[in-house]
Amino acid sequence: MKRNAKVSTAVIRRLPRYYRQLSELQQAGVVRISSSALGKSMGLTASQIRQDLFCFGEFGQQGYGYKVENLKEEIGEILGIGRGHTLIVLGTGNLGRAIIRNFKFSSNGFRLLAAFDVDRAVVGSRVAGVPVYHIDGLEEFLSAHPVSVGLLAVPIAAAQEMGERLVKAGVRGIWNFTNCEISFRRPDVVVESVHFSDSLLALSYMISQQERQDAAGEKEEL
Amino acid sequence: MKRNAKVSTAVIRRLPRYYRQLSELQQAGVVRISSSALGKSMGLTASQIRQDLFCFGEFGQQGYGYKVENLKEEIGEILGIGRGHTLIVLGTGNLGRAIIRNFKFSSNGFRLLAAFDVDRAVVGSRVAGVPVYHIDGLEEFLSAHPVSVGLLAVPIAAAQEMGERLVKAGVRGIWNFTNCEISFRRPDVVVESVHFSDSLLALSYMISQQERQDAAGEKEEL
């Protein structure tokens, strides 16, 4: 498979959506799909889809569409599902617990190894089967277990420090749920932040636009 | 202020990041910033920044950069902060609780009015000062209080049904944390989904790319 060295962020952001959509199509029993039908189900044009997938090589056949299972597997491979990635969670407050309990790590190719906390009341217990260790044991754990991603669900005040401990101990992927910006000046470390406020503000923009249109419509009617 | 009727999704997605970045600059005491400096702090080019902001009218002055406070306020207005938007939370499990306790609704221009649940053990209590009502009272509450956004933090099996009850009762914005797709065939209803898996898979792609590069580098060295 061809891999272009430089793929745009926008395309990378769409790949997981393709993967999710193709998984749903596969579960619904769809064997083959045209780029226009796939695009329609995702709110994209057929040419956008062809362009996106062309970044990674030749998929599908002119006039025959894509084989759902093959395309899903190819995209899964590009995304790194199946590379045996591992993950630990720092912070077992409400958010950490919610993610440990409900998020399907294995469907995304990750094995959740352990959680860490400072609270002696939870250290030694298990959350949904996952052992909770004291944060003091973080470095020892990391020296014994290769960990691809550290999920930060700690209080804002601890975010940067905990991130630095992970990076120093060799973790290269940080999945940041703290709603604050963290950075490490390390080109080999990737930080992916889930900013709830960016999502709410995008929604706020969209409903505000509708309110403005409604108001303009009512004015015209008068 | 000029408002182009059709602004691309990519630009809309960047607006909250501008707003966040400008808020941080303002807190740090920065009064004026050039488009290249603003771009650098956000990983964008100066010309990208100028293009984005041009969609919404004329900001800044050639050669003088942007006034941080003004630009932040203008973008805030575009995003609908200050329109008095209101929000309710459906589901007070770990995730719902984590968001109610930690998310700064007011900084994003939202007032959190109430939460709803089916669990009699939590109904009647308060989470971080927010009253929890029984879901049976949802429609009555909505008829008495205008609500802009309903946040769904319910189990997947209840997601679509709860969304439909919100929409039927007049809520036009759905902030979906259920990690499943919901849709309403209503052009006037906006659904914004926070898909944790899309975020993790993007991270998975980025660390996989690095692993591949490392492996290629090691091969070359042999």
Side-chain angles (χ1 to χ4, degrees):
Chain A
M1 193 193 322
K2 177 182 81 167
R3 289 201 204 284
N4 287 2
K6 189 72 190 164
V7 177
S8 81
T9 313
V11 175
I12 295 168
R13 292 281 151 194
R14 278 196 290 273
L15 283 181
R17 288 181 56 209
Y18 285 119
Y19 187 77
R20 189 151 44 81
Q21 191 67 27
L22 290 163
S23 303
E24 280 171 23
L25 288 167
Q26 194 184 12
Q27 272 172 30
V30 178
V31 174
R32 201 176 265 284
I33 192 164
S34 67
S35 44
S36 61
L38 181 58
K40 205 174 171 189
S41 71
M42 293 180 62
L44 298 167
T45 66
S47 102
Q48 179 76 74
I49 297 239
R50 283 192 296 264
Q51 270 178 41
D52 281 0
L53 299 180
F54 188 72
C55 295
F56 299 97
E58 301 291 337
F59 297 109
Q61 228 182 318
Q62 188 78 45
Y64 289 87
Y66 300 104
K67 266 190 137 171
V68 170
E69 195 186 338
N70 290 8
L71 185 57
K72 183 198 142 192
E73 273 171 24
E74 290 275 11
I75 291 178
E77 210 238 295
I78 293 164
L79 287 171
I81 296 169
R83 291 183 73 89
H85 287 147
T86 53
L87 188 142
I88 57 171
V89 172
L90 268 57
T92 62
N94 283 305
L95 184 60
R97 255 158 217 277
I99 296 168
I100 294 170
R101 285 202 178 125
N102 303 314
F103 186 73
K104 296 193 178 63
F105 288 97
S106 61
S107 316
N108 295 284
F110 278 79
R111 225 159 20 98
L112 173 53
L113 302 182
F116 292 83
D117 208 300
V118 288
D119 183 358
R120 298 271 172 199
V122 295
V123 168
S125 71
R126 283 175 181 266
V127 176
V130 176
V132 183
Y133 302 125
H134 194 276
I135 193 73
D136 286 351
L138 180 66
E139 284 76 9
E140 200 186 326
F141 183 91
L142 289 172
S143 71
H145 304 84
V147 167
S148 328
V149 168
L151 186 163
L152 288 182
V154 297
I156 287 178
Q160 181 70 33
E161 187 202 334
M162 287 301 136
E164 273 163 19
R165 280 177 67 177
L166 287 169
V167 168
K168 208 174 162 193
V171 177
R172 286 168 142 208
I174 307 288
W175 199 17
N176 173 27
F177 279 82
T178 65
N179 283 300
C180 77
E181 292 287 351
I182 50 176
S183 62
F184 304 101
R185 298 169 187 227
R186 285 269 303 255
D188 58 336
V189 172
V190 182
V191 179
E192 165 73 15
S193 296
V194 180
H195 282 298
F196 292 173
S197 74
D198 289 6
S199 171
L200 182 58
L201 288 179
L203 179 56
S204 175
Y205 171 81
M206 292 181 280
I207 57 176
S208 301
Q209 279 296 92
Q210 291 213 330
E211 289 164 2
R212 288 171 189 130
Q213 280 161 19
D214 289 354
E218 274 166 28
K219 242 186 209 165
E220 262 173 35
E221 275 171 30
L222 290 180
Chain B
M1 196 190 325
K2 177 182 82 169
R3 287 199 204 286
N4 288 3
K6 189 71 188 164
V7 177
S8 82
T9 314
V11 176
I12 295 168
R13 291 281 151 195
R14 277 196 290 273
L15 283 180
R17 287 181 57 208
Y18 286 118
Y19 187 78
R20 189 151 45 79
Q21 190 67 26
L22 290 162
S23 303
E24 280 169 24
L25 288 167
Q26 194 184 13
Q27 273 172 29
V30 179
V31 175
R32 200 176 267 283
I33 191 163
S34 67
S35 44
S36 61
L38 181 58
K40 204 173 172 193
S41 71
M42 293 179 64
L44 297 168
T45 66
S47 104
Q48 180 75 75
I49 297 240
R50 284 193 294 265
Q51 269 177 43
D52 281 1
L53 299 180
F54 188 73
C55 294
F56 298 98
E58 302 290 339
F59 297 110
Q61 227 182 316
Q62 189 78 40
Y64 289 87
Y66 301 105
K67 268 192 134 169
V68 170
E69 194 187 337
N70 289 9
L71 185 57
K72 183 198 140 191
E73 273 172 22
E74 290 276 10
I75 292 178
E77 211 238 292
I78 293 165
L79 287 172
I81 295 168
R83 292 183 73 89
H85 286 147
T86 53
L87 187 142
I88 57 172
V89 172
L90 268 56
T92 62
N94 284 305
L95 184 60
R97 255 160 217 278
I99 296 170
I100 293 170
R101 286 202 179 126
N102 303 315
F103 187 73
K104 296 192 178 63
F105 288 98
S106 61
S107 316
N108 295 283
F110 278 80
R111 222 155 27 95
L112 173 53
L113 301 182
F116 292 83
D117 209 301
V118 288
D119 182 358
R120 297 274 172 199
V122 294
V123 168
S125 70
R126 281 175 181 267
V127 176
V130 177
V132 182
Y133 301 124
H134 194 276
I135 193 72
D136 286 352
L138 179 66
E139 283 76 9
E140 201 186 322
F141 183 90
L142 289 172
S143 70
H145 304 84
V147 167
S148 326
V149 168
L151 186 162
L152 288 182
V154 296
I156 287 178
Q160 181 70 35
E161 187 201 333
M162 286 302 137
E164 272 164 20
R165 280 178 66 177
L166 287 168
V167 168
K168 207 175 163 192
V171 177
R172 285 168 142 209
I174 307 289
W175 199 17
N176 173 28
F177 279 82
T178 64
N179 283 299
C180 78
E181 292 285 353
I182 50 174
S183 63
F184 304 102
R185 298 169 187 226
R186 284 266 305 252
D188 59 336
V189 171
V190 183
V191 179
E192 166 72 15
S193 296
V194 179
H195 282 297
F196 292 173
S197 74
D198 289 6
S199 172
L200 181 59
L201 288 179
L203 179 56
S204 174
Y205 171 82
M206 293 181 280
I207 57 176
S208 301
Q209 279 297 91
Q210 291 213 330
E211 289 164 2
R212 287 173 191 129
Q213 280 162 18
D214 290 352
E218 275 166 29
K219 242 187 210 164
E220 263 172 35
E221 276 169 30
L222 290 179

